[in-house]
Amino acid sequence: MIYAIMYGLTVGAVLYLISVGFSLTFGTMRVINFAHTITYTLGAYLLIASIRSLGVPFFWGGAVGVAVAALAGYGIERFVIRRLYGESLDYTFIATYAVFLIGVDIVKWLWGVFPKPVSDPLGKTVDILGFVFPTYRLLVILLAIVVFFGLELFMRKTMVGKIIVAALDNREGVRCLGIGVEKYFSLAFVLGSALAALGGVLYAPITAVHPYMGSHILLLCFAVVLTGGLGNLRGTFLASFALGMLISITGRYWPAGSEIVAFIAMAAVLLARPIEA
Amino acid sequence: MGNVVKERGLVLEKTFVAMGKQLTQAGVGQKVLELILIGVVFLILVPFLGAHRATDFAIFCIIVLSFDLLYGYMGRLSFGHLLYVGVGAYTVGLALRYLTTNPLLAIVLGVVAACLAGMAVGAITVRIAGAAFALANLAFNRVGWFLVMSPLKDITGGENGLSIRNLSFWYVNFRNPTFRFWFVLASLLLVFLLLRIFTSSSYGVLLRSIKEDEKRVRFLGYNTQLYKWVTFVLAATVAGFGGALTALNYGYVNPNTLDVHANAGIVFACLLGGSGRLYGALLGGIIYMLITNLLPVYFQRWEFFLGVALLLIVFRFRGGIWGGLEALYSGLAARAKSGSSKEGMSR
Amino acid sequence: MSLLTTSGLTKRFGGLVAVNSVDLRIEENETLGVIGPNGSGKTTLFNLLSGFFPPTAGRIFFQGRDVTHLSPEERVKMGMVRTFQLVSVFNSLKVWENLVPCVAWKSGMYHSLWRFMTTPAASTWADSIEALKLVGLEGQAEAVAGELSYGDRRLLEIALALSLRPKLLLLDEPFSGLSDVEIAKVLALLKSLKGKITIGIIEHKISMIVDFVDRLCVMNEGHIICEGNPSEVLANPLVNECYWGKQETLERAGVSGV
């Protein structure tokens, strides 16, 4: 049971890192960026590629993954999402889905379709009260918490953060202030992409890396964002861990249903609190 | 007692007569002509593709038509439409394996099952605004796929799918490709006719109003949730019909029928042909099937191609092929008009 | 008995109180003008009346029935119909098609889903044209609504509202964005309706509606500060102060400003 909780926390941490960016774009612009998780996939693959073919250590491989994925995120925002600003959200959805398809195919083309394993970069374990935990997973959880508090600080102390928070609260209101919000959204977007890539890098040693890993986790992110509340960053944090826990504990007793529970939770939330425009 | 039964019979009869009248009201000749035209197009396809593939094309067109009702007419983009295709197909497969030997009954069961699934999922997702609707439906589609793949593996056959043995019954023989073709073609024409009637009715205009501004429609006194739900269920039911036919056409069902990523194909076909136009859906369905049937044999980067094509449509060709043809036609008409008026002036 | 009354109607947005315990009443077949400077809560008040969003506190009664928590469509069914400040018609539809849902609604066709779904929209043509004649747009029935001038679209929106046979018609700044010629057209239309149905009309230029309404309500900062017949209201110094601002009151008093 303790191990299930531990696993749940790890999954929750990764889910949080990926969901933040999704939540930001969804909360501020109501845009659903299907390509969001392509940066997550890209992060994981770049990590593996740089470890395997360049022989760099895990840390630098991860850094390369995050940097390149952030760049890709910027490209998606600049050339796809921003061009469809103010039009039907469905077009943005379709366009980002198209980017997702292209991304998946590029990944397949470069690295093949088969899952790639990466080993635990630390390989050490910690002994807490008689339970043995891999240090790496503890680090992942710790990192997610650090990111959460970092974001809280960022949103509260910096001008950019304040504008983003205001936009989450009231989209039209901020636009009325005459602030060129696009610039800030773009920044939030790149930040979200980088965090998603970080999630991919961190999750790679725990799970199998395959081209469709992104679409798989995107739905979980969606469930997280809906459960946590639209544009509510703290809610996203809590919901990530709650759903991570739910998945992990259900998986222990009913392995086949581990993913379904997340969607059942989502459906319950939707029934109670439908999304109106 | 007998009287009540008789009365009920009369009421039923009256309803049927009224239904028949409405179905055949204005524009009968035009509708018949349209149906004949569509039939001829598919008959022309047969010598090039063979009856089996032409049947496949027609089934796909049914599915795209159902999607077009939801997206093209009502403006609600769903990325989980294949769930109902899958429900229809699996119900037919399971019904023929465990319940009945009559494929027609199995089709009815499949359609009813898809309708019920649409009612349940629609009740939740229809209330969602914006692009989240697309993703929520995708999530339900994934749950369906997942259910087939693992918890219900014992009866659905999981990854291996389900083969159907009882394909012939009485005069209905789904083993015969020619019979399948005619049966499916008739089904397509029926679906087209129904959707043609629905979309040109007051309800059809209401759907287009909802597409443009749902809130405004509420201030005209309509409970839009109800009509969105009805449309969703209708689209799901027709998609289920398509799924049921798929199962009978191939003689087996596998999880690919409700693969979440294949939804992009339907969206693409609908946009390619021109959304919000039934002919656009038909055209898109046929062209999409031509592309997938002719290209991938030599073509590795299918997803890349699909992605680029989708981006092109979204950025450049929103009206699709049918929309383009319409614009061309109205442009030519306007030119002809101004040309003739100029002539008149010069005289 | 009044057609519509509100008691203590209040709407808060965060810290802002947009409408502050308003007690409004509209009598049967009267024409009531609601005036006030921008941001005084007029549109919010109409949004509350029409069910655009629920009030924070207070109640709304229509024909003696509590409608506070009814949805917009249920209010329309009872006879409360509104138009919007920014013209809102269906631009992608043809002009006559805009009226199809309304005409179908009025004829009760929607009661039978099957009939609603199978009767061709064209069968409502005659009724749609009838409704368009009221506003003089029957000549443009086949045009796409988005291609009409702004003023004609305003007329179309009023035609939509009228085709629902309202008992109470709420007009949110029907003259905004219109040219003088168009204003005259809309005003003539409204004058022909006066006395036949109950009209509530928002306007921020007093002069526009002063000789047209039976009664005026002046709103400022969420309150109704004054109401009565137009000449009474205009004579009220409080109104002048909030409406024209202190500066202008002084100017009017002959004190030259800046």
Side-chain angles (χ1 to χ4, degrees):
Chain A
M1 190 64 194
I2 293 287
Y3 290 105
I5 290 175
M6 186 64 198
Y7 181 66
L9 287 177
T10 321
V11 172
V14 173
L15 266 182
Y16 171 67
L17 289 174
I18 303 165
S19 301
V20 167
F22 189 74
S23 178
L24 279 175
T25 42
F26 192 29
T28 47
M29 304 185 264
R30 288 290 180 278
V31 162
I32 288 194
N33 175 19
F34 206 95
H36 178 63
T37 50
I38 202 66
T39 54
Y40 157 81
T41 315
L42 208 59
Y45 267 96
L46 283 167
L47 166 79
I48 293 168
S50 44
I51 292 178
R52 289 257 171 96
S53 46
L54 301 175
V56 295
F58 185 89
F59 178 79
W60 290 109
V64 168
V66 171
V68 175
L71 209 65
Y74 175 75
I76 294 169
E77 201 274 345
R78 180 73 187 76
F79 295 109
V80 178
I81 294 182
R82 206 185 294 181
R83 285 186 59 179
L84 292 171
Y85 227 82
E87 297 196 47
S88 163
L89 294 172
D90 291 339
Y91 285 126
T92 320
F93 186 87
I94 296 171
T96 53
Y97 192 90
V99 172
F100 162 79
L101 283 177
I102 294 172
V104 164
D105 215 40
I106 290 175
V107 166
K108 279 204 246 172
W109 184 33
L110 292 177
W111 291 296
V113 291
F114 299 108
K116 297 247 170 26
V118 197
S119 57
D120 186 331
L122 296 176
K124 290 190 191 123
T125 55
V126 188
D127 217 318
I128 302 171
L129 302 169
F131 297 103
V132 182
F133 299 123
T135 318
Y136 180 72
R137 294 192 177 192
L138 286 178
L139 265 177
V140 170
I141 298 167
L142 205 67
L143 207 62
I145 294 170
V146 168
V147 166
F148 171 69
F149 283 107
L151 269 181
E152 282 281 296
L153 265 182
F154 174 75
M155 294 299 176
R156 233 170 271 171
K157 296 288 173 205
T158 65
M159 197 59 213
V160 182
K162 281 177 186 166
I163 290 170
I164 292 171
V165 169
L168 284 171
D169 215 36
N170 183 350
R171 288 172 291 158
E172 278 76 29
V174 172
R175 211 155 285 158
C176 291
L177 292 176
I179 302 171
V181 278
E182 281 77 8
K183 201 167 53 185
Y184 299 98
F185 286 168
S186 159
L187 197 95
F189 196 93
V190 172
L191 186 72
S193 300
L195 285 176
L198 181 65
V201 165
L202 293 176
Y203 205 36
I206 300 169
T207 182
V209 173
H210 62 94
Y212 288 100
M213 64 195 277
S215 78
H216 176 132
I217 206 127
L218 184 83
L219 286 173
L220 287 180
C221 286
F222 183 59
V224 162
V225 172
L226 287 187
T227 323
L230 280 184
N232 182 344
L233 291 181
R234 279 178 216 169
T236 305
F237 183 71
L238 292 178
S240 305
F241 283 98
L243 283 188
M245 212 62 108
L246 198 63
I247 290 169
S248 149
I249 291 172
T250 316
R252 193 175 143 86
Y253 296 103
W254 183 38
S258 65
E259 221 179 278
I260 291 180
V261 285
F263 296 125
I264 292 173
M266 182 189 85
V269 170
L270 279 176
L271 266 179
R273 198 176 51 194
I275 310 172
E276 313 238 339
Chain B
M1 193 69 192
N3 257 342
V4 174
V5 174
K6 210 175 175 185
E7 252 172 51
R8 276 196 193 151
L10 262 176
V11 170
L12 261 181
E13 197 186 308
K14 268 187 191 162
T15 325
F16 276 117
V17 170
M19 272 164 70
K21 256 189 192 161
Q22 274 156 22
L23 281 176
T24 52
Q25 238 170 18
V28 187
Q30 196 195 343
K31 275 175 198 136
V32 170
L33 204 70
E34 286 176 27
L35 292 182
I36 292 175
L37 206 76
I38 297 169
V40 167
V41 167
F42 275 91
L43 283 176
I44 292 173
L45 283 175
V46 173
F48 295 100
L49 302 163
H52 179 74
R53 269 194 185 168
T55 313
D56 224 19
F57 277 40
I59 294 174
F60 188 70
C61 282
I62 292 178
I63 297 168
V64 178
L65 278 173
S66 74
F67 176 79
D68 196 36
L69 180 72
L70 190 61
Y71 175 62
Y73 282 89
M74 201 172 66
R76 292 298 180 276
L77 174 70
S78 165
F79 258 68
H81 205 56
L82 279 175
L83 174 63
Y84 310 103
V85 177
V87 168
Y90 269 97
T91 309
V92 164
L94 293 172
L96 286 178
R97 180 168 273 221
Y98 300 111
L99 281 178
T100 170
T101 52
N102 183 350
L104 294 181
L105 183 62
I107 291 177
V108 172
L109 287 175
V111 171
V112 170
C115 177
L116 290 175
M119 284 178 172
V121 175
I124 298 174
T125 56
V126 150
R127 306 199 296 163
I128 302 172
F133 176 77
L135 207 51
N137 280 306
L138 184 67
F140 280 106
N141 193 342
R142 183 157 174 98
V143 170
W145 182 82
F146 198 69
L147 283 175
V148 164
M149 286 298 274
S150 68
L152 302 178
K153 207 172 173 177
D154 294 336
I155 58 166
T156 60
E159 239 172 296
N160 300 324
L162 196 69
S163 62
I164 304 169
R165 285 183 217 95
N166 303 315
L167 281 170
S168 60
F169 179 86
W170 191 44
Y171 287 110
V172 183
N173 182 5
F174 278 96
R175 266 185 240 290
N176 177 354
T178 321
F179 174 82
R180 284 202 307 255
F181 174 74
W182 286 106
F183 188 86
V184 168
L185 186 61
S187 308
L188 173 67
L189 295 182
L190 176 72
V191 165
F192 183 84
L193 180 66
L194 275 176
L195 292 184
R196 180 84 169 68
I197 290 168
F198 290 156
T199 52
S200 55
S201 68
S202 303
Y203 157 82
V205 177
L206 184 75
L207 289 190
R208 288 191 283 146
S209 311
I210 290 177
K211 178 182 187 177
E212 191 175 325
D213 188 348
E214 185 190 335
K215 221 164 207 160
R216 189 69 182 93
V217 177
R218 296 187 69 187
F219 285 95
L220 297 180
Y222 282 95
N223 178 0
T224 50
Q225 302 296 352
L226 173 70
Y227 292 98
K228 284 191 314 185
W229 184 72
V230 166
T231 313
F232 189 90
V233 173
L234 192 62
T237 310
V238 174
F241 186 39
L245 294 174
T246 313
L248 291 172
N249 189 31
Y250 283 99
Y252 71 85
V253 192
N254 72 4
N256 285 343
T257 52
L258 39 76
D259 177 16
V260 285
H261 291 294
N263 276 298
I266 300 177
V267 177
F268 176 60
C270 183
L271 283 170
L272 180 72
S275 66
R277 300 159 180 94
L278 293 179
Y279 281 106
L282 283 178
L283 198 62
I286 293 174
I287 294 177
Y288 176 82
M289 286 305 268
L290 281 175
I291 298 172
T292 48
N293 271 268
L294 301 179
L295 275 182
V297 188
Y298 314 97
F299 200 59
Q300 281 278 312
R301 308 258 72 91
W302 165 242
E303 281 169 321
F304 190 86
F305 168 79
L306 188 58
V308 171
L310 273 176
L311 279 182
L312 266 177
I313 288 179
V314 167
F315 282 117
R316 285 269 173 277
F317 309 105
R318 295 250 171 102
I321 295 173
W322 195 261
L325 288 177
E326 272 178 2
L328 195 72
Y329 174 76
S330 61
L332 285 179
R335 187 178 287 177
K337 210 177 171 186
S338 68
S340 66
S341 68
K342 261 182 202 161
E343 267 173 38
M345 292 222 316
S346 64
R347 260 175 230 162
Chain C
M1 191 184 68
S2 305
L3 185 66
L4 179 125
T5 51
T6 70
S7 64
L9 204 59
T10 303
K11 180 73 184 176
R12 274 191 205 96
F13 294 110
L16 177 84
V17 188
V19 168
N20 199 344
S21 64
V22 163
D23 298 316
L24 184 80
R25 100 200 123 71
I26 307 181
E27 304 296 337
E28 198 112 16
N29 290 340
E30 79 166 337
T31 303
L32 172 79
V34 179
I35 58 172
N38 285 326
S40 58
K42 300 173 306 241
T43 296
T44 309
L45 177 65
F46 267 35
N47 282 342
L48 290 172
L49 295 183
S50 62
F52 201 84
F53 38 56
T56 317
R59 307 201 146 272
I60 305 165
F61 297 91
F62 185 72
Q63 292 184 310
R65 203 181 135 194
D66 188 346
V67 297
T68 317
H69 299 292
L70 289 188
S71 64
E73 57 266 26
E74 284 167 316
R75 293 183 208 212
V76 174
K77 277 178 196 157
M78 292 181 68
M80 299 170 75
V81 178
R82 72 168 292 180
T83 64
F84 291 82
Q85 187 173 353
L86 283 172
V87 165
S88 124
V89 294
F90 303 101
N91 288 330
S92 61
L93 269 52
K94 287 180 180 165
V95 170
W96 74 274
E97 283 178 333
N98 265 274
L99 282 145
V100 169
C102 304
V103 171
W105 186 90
K106 194 191 69 193
S107 70
M109 198 199 276
Y110 70 98
H111 282 309
S112 153
L113 194 58
W114 179 257
R115 250 185 78 203
F116 185 45
M117 289 172 78
T118 53
T119 315
S123 69
T124 62
W125 169 264
D127 289 331
S128 303
I129 294 296
E130 206 57 44
L132 285 172
K133 270 186 187 155
L134 265 181
V135 298
L137 281 177
E138 70 275 13
Q140 279 149 299
E142 282 283 1
V144 177
E147 289 166 4
L148 293 186
S149 70
Y150 194 77
D152 283 348
R153 279 192 285 151
R154 173 68 75 192
L155 286 171
L156 177 59
E157 190 182 14
I158 295 175
L160 287 184
L162 288 177
S163 69
L164 296 171
R165 296 277 161 86
K167 294 194 181 84
L168 170 63
L169 179 61
L170 298 168
L171 301 163
D172 189 351
E173 298 207 11
F175 306 114
S176 70
L178 266 56
S179 71
D180 288 347
V181 182
E182 292 168 340
I183 288 175
K185 259 197 216 168
V186 174
L187 205 57
L189 173 65
L190 293 183
K191 276 182 180 154
S192 74
L193 294 170
K194 190 171 146 81
K196 289 182 194 145
I197 56 171
T198 316
I199 301 176
I201 182 167
I202 290 182
E203 185 50 60
H204 74 268
K205 284 182 230 147
I206 301 181
S207 57
M208 203 73 91
I209 55 168
V210 70
D211 45 351
F212 161 60
V213 298
D214 300 322
R215 203 154 57 86
L216 268 180
C217 267
V218 185
M219 282 191 82
N220 191 33
E221 292 172 359
H223 293 279
I224 292 185
I225 53 165
C226 166
E227 61 176 298
N229 69 50
S231 50
E232 263 171 43
V233 168
L234 286 183
N236 191 328
L238 199 63
V239 174
N240 273 323
E241 189 168 305
C242 86
Y243 207 82
W244 303 109
K246 281 220 168 83
Q247 182 68 34
E248 239 172 286
T249 325
L250 291 176
E251 276 172 24
R252 287 183 156 205
V255 185
S256 60
V258 190

